[in-house]
Amino acid sequence: MDLPEFRAGLDAWLDEHEPELRMEAGPDVAFDQEIEHLSKVKRTTYDAGWMRRGWPERVGGLGGSTLLRAYLGEALASRDLIEPGIYSMTEVLAPTMIEFAPAGLAAEMVPRLLRGDETWCQGFSEPGSGSDLGSLACRARRDGGSWHVIGQKVWTSLAQYAHRCVLLVRTGTPESGSRGITALFVDMDSPGVTVRPIRAMHGRDEFCEVFFDDVRVPLERTLGEAGGGWAVAMDLLPYERSTSLWHRGAYLRQRLGRLLASVPDGTIDPGDLGAVAQLAFALHARSRGTQHRMERGERLGPETSVDKVLLATTEQAVFDLVADAVPAAVAVGGDAAAGRWRTEFLYSRAATVYGGSAEIQRGIIARRLLGLGAER
Ligand SMILES: Cc1cc2nc3c(=O)[nH]c(=O)nc-3n(C[C@H](O)[C@H](O)[C@H](O)COP(=O)(O)OP(=O)(O)OC[C@H]3O[C@@H](n4cnc5c(N)ncnc54)[C@H](O)[C@@H]3O)c2cc1C
């Protein structure tokens, strides 16, 4: 199935099924309900075949171009049927599993993620290691047929809902840096795993602290080579800045449209609106190029940092425009009915942090793309 055929078929199917896939987000909708709703959307679109397009047949997909799944997320976000932040975990973690997990494990697990039967999380950041990921300290010791994991992760999105975790651990000496890291696929119900949700400022328990107290992980759950976890992380991070940003861009355009439709003419300064629209279209054009490079099978790398900087700038600009146009909608103690704008405005502040901070992205662009100064 090519893209035009997929688009026409999906659009017609969504016209018919949209009412059953809709959930009005808002301050009164608990995060638990949003997660449940996401599973329902994934399950329904998987069972109807749409969610399986663009993924290889060996992991339950129906094959076809990666542009098909880019369009699925775009269509769902444009119709306000998903929140792309939580939807994006599939785009971030499934490609890595397909590339690095033993074939049988990928074939068993990836369909569960695609269908929404399971939620997965990404255990990279630690209290002392965020931007400087190569310094991570959560340790795993090999004993017979298992790894034994001891340590802590933090800011692990959706860990309280997750069945599995793609976890980075240190298996080399403390001084081994990025060479002594291994990636594991961990069952979150393993004895010794403790999850503590953290309330973020937008009022959602978006992420968690996760503690590993001598957690046993079978050696067959190693992703890639033992000691090769850095390659897994470097492969995963560009995915975090590709299709999921395409979906988020579609969502931001939808929110901009919603803002324009909800305020009287003349409320928004045309110059401010023009500046935000320009950013949204620049992100669209840039991310479109990335989707096509991915479709051609090109390896994504540091150039996706440009996409991430554009996304963060656009996201904050959209919700700054909301704050200027309808201050009561984002003010603490303001109009409660407008609570969704407030939640989104507050969450947009995280856009320059999640998926690699804006400063780190600009450093990558300066050093690796523009050749300005040596790597440190
Ligand atoms: C909403 C959200 C969801 C997240 N989800 C996950 C998740 O699911 N899994 C996960 O593993 N992590 C997750 N994170 C964590 C995220 O990846 C880290 O917050 C991010 O990488 C920055 O690390 P840090 O918080 O330790 O800050 P630090 O690395 O301590 O940085 C602090 C400040 O210093 C700046 N800085 C640091 N080093 C440099 C440098 N070399 N040059 C210039 N400036 C520098 C940074 O830009 C930043 O402003 C999430 C974060 C957020 C906000």
Side-chain angles (χ1 to χ4, degrees):
M1 189 185 277
D2 64 10
L3 184 58
E5 195 188 340
F6 181 83
R7 287 176 81 123
L10 176 63
D11 288 346
W13 184 85
L14 282 173
D15 286 345
E16 192 185 334
H17 293 269
E18 193 172 315
E20 72 195 75
L21 297 179
R22 177 158 302 288
M23 184 188 82
E24 228 23 84
D28 301 329
V29 177
F31 200 34
D32 297 13
Q33 283 169 270
E34 279 190 41
I35 301 291
E36 223 171 90
H37 173 252
L38 175 66
S39 295
K40 178 181 162 183
V41 172
K42 286 172 80 175
R43 192 167 52 249
T44 311
T45 51
Y46 185 96
D47 289 347
W50 306 112
M51 188 72 181
R52 298 173 67 193
R53 300 273 173 191
W55 296 100
E57 289 168 17
R58 65 180 188 280
V59 294
L62 295 171
S65 159
T66 54
L67 294 177
L68 306 186
R69 54 188 224 238
Y71 184 67
L72 173 61
E74 178 190 343
L76 294 172
S78 301
R79 290 172 186 250
D80 207 14
L81 300 176
I82 53 156
E83 195 289 308
I86 53 178
Y87 181 84
S88 71
M89 216 39 114
T90 308
E91 282 297 335
V92 175
L93 297 179
T96 300
M97 276 297 278
I98 292 167
E99 178 140 358
F100 290 96
L105 184 65
E108 180 189 354
M109 296 293 175
V110 172
R112 300 183 191 185
L113 181 66
L114 296 183
R115 191 170 182 271
D117 295 336
E118 293 195 353
T119 300
W120 297 359
C121 64
Q122 175 191 348
F124 284 19
S125 305
E126 298 181 4
S129 301
S131 304
D132 183 15
L133 194 58
S135 69
L136 63 85
C138 181
R139 281 199 60 77
R141 171 179 57 83
R142 197 173 161 160
D143 184 10
S146 303
W147 296 103
H148 290 251
V149 182
I150 297 179
Q152 185 196 340
K153 296 287 167 178
V154 72
W155 317 127
T156 319
S157 296
L158 313 182
Q160 70 272 47
Y161 304 104
H163 301 81
R164 328 272 166 196
C165 180
V166 174
L167 182 72
L168 291 184
V169 291
R170 180 158 302 285
T171 47
T173 61
E175 302 76 37
S176 57
S178 58
R179 291 182 316 282
I181 292 174
T182 299
L184 304 177
F185 189 62
V186 180
D187 293 341
M188 290 295 280
D189 63 356
S190 305
V193 176
T194 305
V195 176
R196 280 200 213 139
I198 302 171
R199 174 68 41 101
M201 71 174 175
H202 66 313
R204 295 272 198 258
D205 293 349
E206 160 86 20
F207 34 41
C208 302
E209 293 181 293
V210 186
F211 299 88
F212 298 86
D213 184 7
D214 201 19
V215 175
R216 202 180 141 276
V217 182
L219 290 184
E220 309 80 74
R221 292 297 191 88
T222 308
L223 302 180
E225 302 290 317
W230 194 247
V232 178
M234 291 305 105
D235 186 78
L236 182 149
L237 291 173
Y239 280 112
E240 202 165 5
R241 302 174 200 134
S242 54
T243 309
S244 45
L245 297 196
W246 176 258
H247 298 160
R248 196 150 194 89
Y251 183 77
L252 292 176
R253 293 194 301 280
Q254 179 257 113
R255 300 307 290 147
L256 192 55
R258 187 68 68 95
L259 172 68
L260 292 177
S262 68
V263 295
D265 282 351
T267 309
I268 299 176
D269 178 82
D272 293 348
L273 176 60
V276 176
Q278 210 169 15
L279 274 171
F281 279 99
L283 169 65
H284 187 64
R286 172 75 195 179
S287 185
R288 187 174 185 280
T290 303
Q291 305 318 306
H292 282 275
R293 283 190 298 112
M294 204 169 122
E295 194 223 358
R296 291 193 296 270
E298 289 179 29
R299 198 156 197 90
L300 302 180
E303 70 290 342
T304 56
S305 292
V306 176
D307 304 43
K308 177 69 210 305
V309 168
L310 266 173
L311 180 277
T313 312
T314 308
E315 177 150 359
Q316 296 190 347
V318 167
F319 293 107
D320 283 347
L321 193 66
V322 175
D324 286 344
V326 214
V330 300
V332 174
D335 178 4
R340 180 173 175 189
W341 287 123
R342 184 181 315 126
T343 305
E344 292 181 307
F345 171 80
L346 291 173
Y347 188 70
S348 71
R349 304 303 103 177
T352 46
V353 181
Y354 62 67
S357 75
E359 291 80 7
I360 292 296
Q361 304 309 318
R362 289 197 166 93
I364 293 172
I365 293 166
R367 292 197 194 88
R368 295 193 212 164
L369 300 183
L370 302 175
L372 301 171
E375 290 285 340
R376 275 178 285 159

